[in-house]
Amino acid sequence: RTCEYFCDRRALYSEFCAPRIFGDGRCDESCNLLDCASDGGDCMQLCFAEELANCSLDKLNNGVCDEGCDNEYCSGYLWGSDFSIPKADPCTFDASQLCAADFQSCVLMVNGSILDTYNISCQASAPNSVFLDTNIPPSAYDTCQPSWIGDGQCDDSCRTKECAYDAGDC
């Protein structure tokens, strides 16, 4: 009888996830991939804490957005992030929306609103706006918020192609 090891594919941006470190109780960066079930659940340990979520590795792997797994504890985050917005990818069922929790089976919601791919690309482009003063560090500016676009006020961080150039506010 052989063991099934489904994490033997090497992503272009990562190191190989060796079977000896996969699911060993420690979150390993090279195994923290969706294809590797976030290191066999090692990188989602808070997701399994009964006082925080009602989720299990079986529920994460079933391809359905389960209520107990649709929370910030069952979302993946990029290495070095501040954990404010989970790592998200376009949903398989609607590419205009982003999915994050429950191994990206659940639509990403931020402050009660669906965060779509447009909003992510806009916010990612905001620090690169040519209208920001180069003498001030980009971290000193607020990131363009969707509600700022077309609100009648000129917001320099929203003056990018991805943010529709602040929808004519400037």
Side-chain angles (χ1 to χ4, degrees), residues 4-164:
E4 181 182 346
Y5 181 66
F6 55 90
C7 191
D8 55 357
R9 293 180 295 273
R10 183 184 303 212
L12 295 175
Y13 52 86
S14 72
E15 298 174 24
F16 176 68
C17 176
R20 66 180 169 73
I21 63 171
F22 174 77
D24 64 353
R26 179 176 173 249
C27 179
D28 300 290
E29 183 175 6
S30 61
C31 300
N32 190 15
L33 304 166
L34 195 58
D35 286 344
C36 298
S38 295
D39 196 1
D42 289 349
C43 299
M44 301 285 238
Q45 293 179 15
L46 289 177
C47 182
F48 308 128
E50 290 179 16
E51 60 274 8
L52 300 175
N54 181 20
C55 194
S56 66
L57 191 56
D58 288 337
K59 285 183 180 179
L60 286 176
N61 282 319
N62 69 9
V64 176
C65 180
D66 297 289
E67 184 178 343
C69 302
D70 187 11
N71 57 63
E72 66 269 24
Y73 304 110
C74 298
S75 295
Y77 295 88
L78 295 174
W79 284 90
S81 75
D82 65 357
F83 300 101
S84 59
I85 296 181
K87 179 186 178 304
D89 286 316
C91 301
T92 55
F93 52 86
D94 183 349
S96 71
Q97 296 177 339
L98 293 171
C99 285
D102 199 351
F103 285 165
Q104 299 181 337
S105 299
C106 301
V107 174
L108 178 59
M109 304 284 285
V110 175
N111 297 327
S113 300
I114 293 175
L115 192 61
D116 59 25
T117 52
Y118 172 78
N119 291 337
I120 289 290
S121 61
C122 170
Q123 289 183 338
S125 72
N128 302 320
S129 172
V130 297
F131 298 98
L132 299 180
D133 186 340
T134 57
N135 296 313
I136 299 172
S139 60
Y141 286 97
D142 289 329
T143 303
C144 182
Q145 301 298 312
S147 62
W148 297 357
I149 299 171
D151 66 354
Q153 293 185 356
C154 179
D155 301 291
D156 286 338
S157 66
C158 297
R159 294 174 75 180
T160 65
K161 177 182 175 185
E162 294 83 359
C163 299

